[in-house]
Amino acid sequence: MVPPAQFDSYYGKPVIKAPVWKSPQIPGYLFLGGLAGASSLIGAGAQVTGRPALARAAKAGAFGAGCVSVAALVHDLGRPARFLNMLRVFKVTSPLSVGSWLLSAYVPAAGAAAFSATTGRMPRIGAAATAGAALLGPGVAAYTAALISDTAVPAWHEGYPELPFVFAGSAATAAGGLGLLAAPADQSDPARYLAIFGIAAELAASSRLKRRIGMVAEPYRSGRGGAYLRAGQVLSVAGAAGSMLARRSRLAGAVSGATLLAASAATRWGIFHAGLDSAADPRYTIVPQRERLRERQREREHPQAQDRR
Amino acid sequence: MSDPEATASSGQAEQQPRLGFFTDTSVCIGCKACEVACKEWNHVPEDGLLLTGMSYDNSVGLGADTWRHVAFIEQRRPARTVLAENGPAGTGDGGEFRWLMSSDVCKHCTHAACLDVCPTGALFRTEFGTVVVQEDVCNGCGYCIPACPYGVIDQRKDDGRAWKCTMCYDRLGAGLEPACAKACPTESIQFGPLDELRERAAGRLADLHEAGVSDARLYGADPGDGVGGDGAFFLLLDEPEVYGLPPDPVVTTRDLPSIWRHAAAAAAMLAAGAAAAFAASGRRR
Ligand code: SF4
Ligand code: SF4
């Protein structure tokens, strides 16, 4: 069904307020959270399967990315000195509250895992922390999609069924990229496989998203959001292709790893800007709501003709 | 009685009747006494007096420093201001000229997205069923701002925190009516127990329909709508979007259980993908 091109508005002003969240802090927070969470999975897997260099790189990367992502979030607060108010209550209705608690458990675990892996000290605690970080990691990577979907921002809210899969896929791409970049060629196989898995998941979810949400998907195709997302796809494909050579060449591994990290970042920046654009244009708020009302009216008038659409 | 949810969640032992606004825009004369009274009483900082080119509107919309906003719409009926794909299309000719004026305000939603998503608990439900920010708790995370389906709450730039209408929480506590309602010379802004206001509004709507004003409609008065009904609702003379209001607002957290389920499934997919990646690579040596 094609929504009507015409709609009423108040002098073309937006209906909702666009997020006041800033770039690079918030897209960076989304990207680094994914990188950290998925890297913790690589860290644990590499430890179990006897790939110590990959484990070290992934664990150090997870802790570093986790710390920087929290710093980015704090920096974006209107009142950074009050960031601990995030832990004043626990609210399951607020993904930011859930995420803050999640990070406050995850970052120390990732830190202990990284400390033990890089220094070789306290292996028992290190193993437990590695397991803990790996358990929390997927949540850290995926909750940010719930965070942005739980708003009135049309491109984000309408996309809530697919965005977590885009984010999880993008997280796998980033963590795979870091593994390829930082680990020797004879240990980086799982990183390459994870990156390819991530790219496939991300592409499948995002194309489904764009097909499903109709005109609200426009900001994912055009403008700054569309440009970043296209760049992300090109980088993903290039990084995946390059990673095939990683076995033979350390340099190819490093370059393709960096490309995959950039691909993941571009995807997050694209989703961030698509959301802002969809909030700033009243069309994306008003047209789908009008359509919903019309649909309901039609159902009221012809209760038996629902199958007509 | 009709909104036990809104007042019960305030945790007050003694049940207060839920208080609200009924803004009857059919009698608004656009004097902006409400905007001024609100600013004065609540010490809301000056935020510029703009020549906007939007009729007599100088404040453009609700925001951190505009808690009552009077919208002005100039129309030639029956044609409306229609925005086509490529900017404004003709407003048509003929028809009689009319001026719509409406004083907008925070809706104090029954299911308030701003309150739901606030991670610090700064936003809370008062004993009057209204929604208020505690400025000493807010850390300026900004989550409430894109969560509000009406674009009400916003960040004060120099201060970093989120601000909006409190329905004059301090005055309600002292048994007074909010400053805007007090200042309104035409009783366009009516304040009182929500049950009574809804009855009064239904009566007013019936009167207007009888008098031939078929455009008149209530907005936000239905407890069955996407936000569970507004604590501040309106009588409008045109479609809501003409006034800058969303035609079918829905509290974003209505979908949150499903949002969480999808996020959990995606997290599980990520873990499974990692397991598969290691399984495919095998054990080293
Ligand atoms: S209108 Fe917006 S700011 Fe006001 S209570 Fe509802 S969600 Fe909150
Ligand atoms: S900006 Fe303040 S009121 Fe709004 S969600 Fe964050 S802490 Fe709560």
Side-chain angles (χ1 to χ4, degrees):
Chain A
M1 186 172 315
V2 180
Q6 293 196 326
F7 68 104
D8 290 329
S9 78
Y10 186 65
Y11 298 96
K13 297 283 172 204
V15 172
I16 63 164
K17 292 270 184 293
V20 293
W21 297 329
K22 299 273 174 310
S23 177
Q25 290 94 317
I26 296 305
Y29 169 73
L30 305 177
F31 163 67
L32 292 167
L35 172 60
S39 289
S40 287
L41 289 172
I42 294 189
Q47 174 163 351
V48 172
T49 60
R51 294 179 169 88
L54 178 61
R56 261 196 309 278
K59 289 177 188 180
F63 179 56
C67 288
V68 180
S69 89
V70 171
L73 178 67
V74 171
H75 187 262
D76 195 60
L77 295 178
R79 287 288 174 101
R82 289 191 189 164
F83 80 95
L84 278 179
N85 281 4
M86 289 288 190
L87 305 180
R88 190 179 158 263
V89 290
F90 177 80
K91 285 170 75 176
V92 74
T93 59
S94 171
L96 188 49
S97 168
V98 173
S100 298
W101 283 100
L102 197 57
L103 282 173
S104 68
Y106 169 79
V107 172
F115 174 81
S116 174
T118 46
T119 61
R121 289 164 64 184
M122 301 193 293
R124 280 264 187 73
I125 292 178
T130 298
L135 221 54
L136 297 171
V140 169
Y143 94 88
T144 44
L147 169 73
I148 64 167
S149 301
D150 192 24
T151 60
V153 174
W156 293 343
H157 187 90
E158 296 304 313
Y160 81 79
E162 290 91 6
L163 277 179
F165 294 94
V166 177
F167 274 36
S170 176
T173 307
L178 179 67
L180 282 165
L181 178 65
D186 65 336
Q187 295 190 21
S188 67
D189 275 356
R192 178 170 65 238
Y193 293 146
L194 183 62
I196 290 168
F197 169 82
I199 291 165
E202 185 191 321
L203 289 181
S206 66
S207 71
R208 189 188 136 83
L209 168 91
K210 284 187 270 187
R211 246 181 300 120
R212 195 182 54 80
I213 66 175
M215 60 91 72
V216 183
E218 280 169 18
Y220 287 119
R221 295 201 179 91
S222 57
R224 248 188 315 180
Y228 273 117
L229 286 170
R230 274 190 302 278
Q233 290 186 353
V234 170
L235 290 168
S236 290
V237 173
S243 73
M244 299 298 178
L245 309 171
R247 263 239 178 102
R248 265 168 284 156
S249 148
R250 183 78 189 78
L251 181 67
V255 171
S256 60
T259 308
L260 291 168
L261 281 164
S264 173
T267 300
R268 307 313 178 99
W269 255 262
I271 290 169
F272 178 77
H273 285 293
L276 297 197
D277 289 353
S278 77
D281 189 335
R283 168 201 332 237
Y284 301 117
T285 304
I286 293 168
V287 172
Q289 292 191 16
R290 257 295 141 217
E291 187 53 33
R292 212 152 64 200
L293 287 172
R294 238 177 259 126
E295 190 76 12
R296 239 180 278 152
Q297 176 128 24
R298 242 174 271 143
E299 271 164 33
R300 251 197 318 267
E301 283 163 10
H302 312 281
Q304 74 284 27
Q306 267 154 334
D307 45 25
R308 245 191 348 197
R309 58 175 308 205
Chain B
M1 250 200 322
S2 59
D3 302 292
E5 288 170 80
T7 39
S9 59
S10 69
Q12 299 291 316
E14 207 176 300
Q15 197 85 27
Q16 272 268 353
R18 183 177 176 192
L19 299 176
F21 284 129
F22 166 42
T23 306
D24 178 355
T25 71
S26 68
V27 293
C28 177
I29 54 169
C31 69
K32 302 187 190 176
C34 51
E35 282 193 17
V36 175
C38 173
K39 280 226 172 202
E40 290 208 333
W41 180 265
N42 294 300
H43 305 291
V44 178
E46 197 267 341
D47 56 337
L49 209 55
L50 308 169
L51 291 177
T52 58
M54 295 158 50
S55 190
Y56 278 76
D57 186 343
N58 306 109
S59 46
V60 182
L62 294 174
D65 297 327
T66 307
W67 299 355
R68 269 278 176 191
H69 162 250
V70 184
F72 292 79
I73 300 120
E74 297 174 27
Q75 293 185 328
R76 215 167 260 297
R77 288 205 298 163
R80 297 200 215 113
T81 2
V82 171
L83 281 182
E85 287 270 31
N86 314 311
T91 43
D93 38 26
E96 126 209 19
F97 178 82
R98 72 168 179 171
W99 217 330
L100 300 179
M101 285 154 277
S102 165
S103 178
D104 196 10
V105 70
C106 168
K107 317 301 178 287
H108 295 275
C109 311
T110 304
H111 303 301
C114 62
L115 189 160
D116 283 347
V117 304
C118 174
T120 63
L123 274 154
F124 77 112
R125 178 83 59 187
T126 72
E127 66 273 34
F128 307 109
T130 56
V131 179
V132 174
V133 194
Q134 302 171 76
E135 64 241 35
D136 54 338
V137 176
C138 171
N139 68 8
C141 73
Y143 202 0
C144 50
I145 293 163
C148 170
Y150 300 97
V152 169
I153 192 164
D154 203 0
Q155 187 177 47
R156 199 172 276 172
K157 290 290 166 267
D158 56 351
D159 150 312
R161 292 175 294 182
W163 298 86
K164 72 169 192 73
C165 159
T166 69
M167 211 183 271
C168 289
Y169 189 38
D170 52 347
R171 292 176 62 96
L172 298 200
L176 299 170
E177 65 180 322
C180 56
K182 176 105 190 149
C184 179
T186 65
E187 291 185 359
S188 171
I189 300 175
Q190 302 178 28
F191 164 78
L194 197 56
D195 286 345
E196 283 173 31
L197 292 176
R198 282 179 180 159
E199 264 172 49
R200 211 183 302 166
R204 172 71 182 155
L205 182 68
D207 289 349
L208 282 171
H209 282 171
E210 206 165 303
V213 187
S214 56
D215 278 349
R217 76 216 54 203
L218 296 181
Y219 177 80
D222 176 9
D225 70 16
V227 297
D230 293 329
F233 66 99
F234 301 80
L235 187 151
L236 305 177
L237 297 177
D238 202 339
E239 299 292 358
E241 55 266 42
V242 171
Y243 297 87
L245 296 164
D248 184 32
V250 173
V251 57
T252 180
T253 42
R254 192 181 73 180
D255 293 324
L256 189 57
S258 181
I259 292 176
W260 278 132
R261 272 196 301 278
H262 283 89
M269 178 200 77
L270 177 57
F278 280 98
S281 323
R283 182 169 269 282
R284 199 164 146 265
R285 250 178 300 139

